[in-house]
Amino acid sequence: MSRLLRYNPTVINFPVILRIIGLLLIIESVFVLVPLATCLVYHEKDWMCFLLTLAVTLVAGLVMTFGIRPRHSRMGKREGFLLTALIWIFFSAFGMIPFIFMEKQPLSVADAFFEAMSGFTTTGATVMDSISHLSHGIVMWRSLMQWIGGMGIILFTLAVVPMLNHSGGMQMFNAEVTGITHDKLRPRISQTAKGLWLIYIVLTLVLFGLLLLGPMNIFEAICHAFSTMSTGGFSTADASIEAWNSIYIEIVMTIFMFIGGTSFVLLYRAAHGDFKPIWQNEVFRCYVGIILACYVLFVIAIFYHGEADSIKSVTLDPLFQIVSTITSTGYEVSAFSSWGTFVLSIVFALMFFGACAGSTSGGAKIDRMIYLLKNCRNEINRCIYPNNIFTVRINKRVIPHETVSKVIAFLCLYVMIIMVGGMLLTALGVPLVDSFFSAFSCISNTGLGAGVTGYGGSYAIVPDIGKWLLALIMMIGRLELFTVLLLFTPTFWKK
């Protein structure tokens, strides 16, 4: 009997994975109460589609949680990776139900899944040409999905399910949290998750209060607090933040997008009175430096194209656009398209690398850019001094060669996925620029449509198969490649 209960690391423990997914679906059904209540407050008929979503998600969660009896609850690395990938799929699959059954202009299954995955991965891409027809409940659900996915579904689970502290918690934490290396702030992984989520919640509440002091009403402030703190980018108006034409709103959102692009480990330590690590952190200093350098270039381009028609156009607007892009939030100022192609090229670079690791932003992360540049410098110097030993140092610490190699492999795979994704979309009949820019935008979780390039439009032009492909690319980008790509290797499934 003891042999049957003994954990065998060569066999994937599917029952415990499904049981935990069931528990998470129960949690998702609780989140559905928010848009359901919103519909009831505004007397909207879409409350029925949220009630249906609540019932289906709750029943599925209860069946999987209490109907499956695993022989043991132990989880290894493979279970951690598989569970992390599957839960994003399950959350999106159940989260898309309201979009399929909403009263006005319901979406197809492919469109609904794309919209849900875009929300949970905080990509912010949409197949909708307009959101003016959406009910308050649907708009709230879009923003809430981004907020849930911003800090991470698994990280939330680790915070509320203490049993995972001993069973695969660290593997799940490493599989979902963005970055090259992951530091536990507290001895128990669940305590670390609670600490990070507490900072996230407090910042969201502060942002909500500040937005409420401006021209936004309660509903608009809540939705934008969700989508800004998560650096997701969904809005409550077709014109996005331009609809309020408020300098105050732009300033507040710029500050909090910047905070969202900062490592939450640094924010956690700052919240406990330890401010020294922030400016001593090489990555954070680089983050600030990139924003300032791009600001100077943007202002020069604005003057060159004769768009400097007000103080705001050369101060707040370029800064807002830079922070929005580098943090992968995806908000745009109305004058952005007239700033020239040079500015657009800078935007591409900002989209590629994104902000700091351990933040809610997308992209390959500034950390990896620093690793790459320092390693390239070492290789150039090695051509002159072949017998010297050169190391990559970050924050005065020597980085192991294995970590540097992993960074290089990550960046190579990142570019390859953009290329393969773009090529597959062209094979489906999507125009060339739209194809590659869509793949690029989705893997970086930025969500800008090809319309920003001046060539294409929204994601509505992508055929259904292409939307499933882009949804996969969004998830790969959010989970930083290896967690998902590992599942496609034969080695992962071998006993």
Side-chain angles (χ1 to χ4, degrees):
M1 184 67 179
S2 61
R3 289 182 179 179
L4 291 174
L5 296 176
R6 190 178 301 162
Y7 174 65
N8 186 350
T10 64
V11 178
I12 297 177
N13 191 351
F14 285 105
V16 76
I17 290 175
L18 293 175
R19 191 177 186 187
I20 293 174
I21 290 175
L23 182 60
L24 291 173
L25 290 179
I26 294 174
I27 295 173
E28 183 178 18
S29 68
V30 174
F31 281 115
V32 174
L33 290 172
V34 176
L36 174 59
T38 303
C39 285
L40 294 176
V41 168
Y42 286 94
H43 307 288
E44 296 169 331
K45 293 182 179 179
D46 277 340
W47 69 268
M48 292 184 288
C49 71
F50 284 110
L51 184 62
L52 173 64
T53 304
L54 172 64
V56 172
T57 307
L58 181 60
V59 170
L62 291 173
V63 170
M64 295 173 70
T65 302
F66 299 103
I68 298 176
R69 298 289 181 183
R71 292 183 177 181
H72 54 80
S73 60
R74 293 286 301 277
M75 288 178 57
K77 288 185 177 180
R78 293 201 295 175
E79 285 86 353
F81 284 120
L82 184 58
L83 175 60
T84 302
L86 285 179
I87 194 54
W88 287 81
I89 296 174
F90 271 83
F91 257 56
S92 299
F94 284 88
M96 73 177 179
I97 297 176
F99 299 121
I100 297 176
F101 293 100
M102 61 184 181
E103 182 186 15
K104 296 180 180 179
Q105 300 180 25
L107 302 180
S108 65
V109 173
D111 285 353
F113 187 83
F114 178 93
E115 198 78 14
M117 182 62 77
S118 175
F120 282 117
T121 59
T122 72
T123 302
T126 181
V127 295
M128 301 180 189
D129 294 323
S130 172
I131 60 172
S132 59
H133 65 280
L134 299 179
S135 65
H136 288 78
I138 294 293
V139 173
M140 175 64 76
W141 181 231
R142 293 172 87 235
S143 298
L144 182 59
M145 285 192 298
Q146 291 195 324
W147 188 76
I148 296 169
M151 184 53 65
I153 299 169
I154 294 297
L155 198 63
F156 180 81
T157 308
L158 294 172
V160 298
V161 186
M163 69 174 231
L164 294 178
N165 193 78
H166 307 286
S167 181
M170 195 62 198
Q171 286 80 14
M172 294 161 64
F173 179 80
N174 289 333
E176 183 183 63
V177 175
T178 62
I180 304 165
T181 58
H182 307 107
D183 299 324
K184 287 174 62 179
L185 300 171
R186 304 290 293 275
R188 297 166 67 89
I189 194 64
S190 60
Q191 292 176 331
T192 297
K194 287 177 182 177
L196 294 175
W197 261 95
L198 180 61
I199 297 296
Y200 188 56
I201 292 171
V202 169
L203 286 171
T204 304
L205 290 174
V206 172
L207 175 56
F208 164 69
L210 291 174
L211 292 176
L212 199 57
L213 294 176
M216 289 186 177
N217 59 37
I218 293 178
F219 172 78
E220 294 163 346
I222 292 175
C223 290
H224 283 90
F226 285 157
S227 58
T228 301
M229 201 63 245
S230 63
T231 63
F234 279 152
S235 180
T236 59
D238 288 334
S240 193
I241 57 103
E242 292 288 331
W244 288 270
N245 191 27
S246 169
I247 294 177
Y248 172 79
I249 293 295
E250 232 176 283
I251 292 174
V252 170
M253 294 180 73
T254 300
I255 294 171
F256 279 84
M257 286 190 294
F258 175 82
I259 294 173
T262 305
S263 170
F264 272 76
V265 172
L266 295 179
L267 296 176
Y268 179 90
R269 288 172 177 162
H272 288 77
D274 189 9
F275 293 94
K276 287 185 178 180
I278 295 181
W279 191 246
Q280 290 177 348
N281 186 276
E282 190 173 345
V283 177
F284 180 78
R285 294 200 306 270
C286 186
Y287 176 42
V288 175
I290 289 173
I291 292 174
L292 293 178
C294 290
Y295 173 74
V296 173
L297 295 174
F298 269 49
V299 170
I300 293 173
I302 290 171
F303 274 107
Y304 178 79
H305 288 278
E307 295 296 325
D309 51 9
S310 65
I311 296 177
K312 179 174 176 288
S313 67
V314 293
T315 53
L316 185 56
D317 283 353
L319 189 60
F320 177 90
Q321 189 62 56
I322 291 165
V323 175
S324 175
T325 304
I326 196 172
T327 59
S328 75
T329 309
Y331 289 131
E332 295 178 46
V333 294
S334 58
F336 171 62
S337 58
S338 60
W339 292 347
T341 54
F342 175 66
V343 166
L344 188 60
S345 67
I346 298 176
V347 166
F348 290 166
L350 293 176
M351 286 174 59
F352 186 90
F353 282 107
C356 305
S359 67
T360 59
S361 68
K365 305 296 182 296
I366 293 174
D367 308 54
R368 293 188 175 93
M369 179 190 71
I370 296 175
Y371 279 52
L372 177 66
L373 293 177
K374 290 194 172 186
N375 186 64
C376 290
R377 181 195 60 191
N378 289 347
E379 292 303 320
I380 293 172
N381 291 336
R382 192 172 283 116
C383 294
I384 304 174
Y385 307 104
N387 295 324
N388 286 15
I389 297 176
F390 298 95
T391 58
V392 174
R393 290 177 177 268
I394 303 292
N395 297 323
K396 300 180 181 180
R397 294 166 53 189
V398 176
I399 306 301
H401 179 71
E402 293 77 11
T403 303
V404 178
S405 298
K406 186 176 181 181
V407 168
I408 295 173
F410 178 96
L411 294 173
C412 290
L413 286 170
Y414 198 83
V415 174
M416 289 172 62
I417 292 172
I418 295 172
M419 293 178 61
V420 173
M423 289 165 53
L424 290 175
L425 288 174
T426 58
L428 296 172
V430 180
L432 182 67
V433 174
D434 297 76
S435 296
F436 284 92
F437 189 81
S438 295
F440 178 31
S441 184
C442 286
I443 196 171
S444 65
N445 299 133
T446 304
L448 292 175
V452 76
T453 64
Y455 289 93
S458 71
Y459 291 87
I461 68 171
V462 179
D464 286 351
I465 297 177
K467 287 167 187 169
W468 290 105
L469 172 63
L470 289 176
L472 174 63
I473 292 175
M474 282 188 266
M475 187 176 75
I476 291 174
R478 174 60 181 83
L479 298 179
E480 300 217 312
L481 279 61
F482 294 113
T483 300
V484 180
L485 295 181
L486 182 65
L487 306 183
F488 293 93
T489 62
T491 307
F492 181 85
W493 302 99
K494 286 181 179 178
K495 294 184 179 181

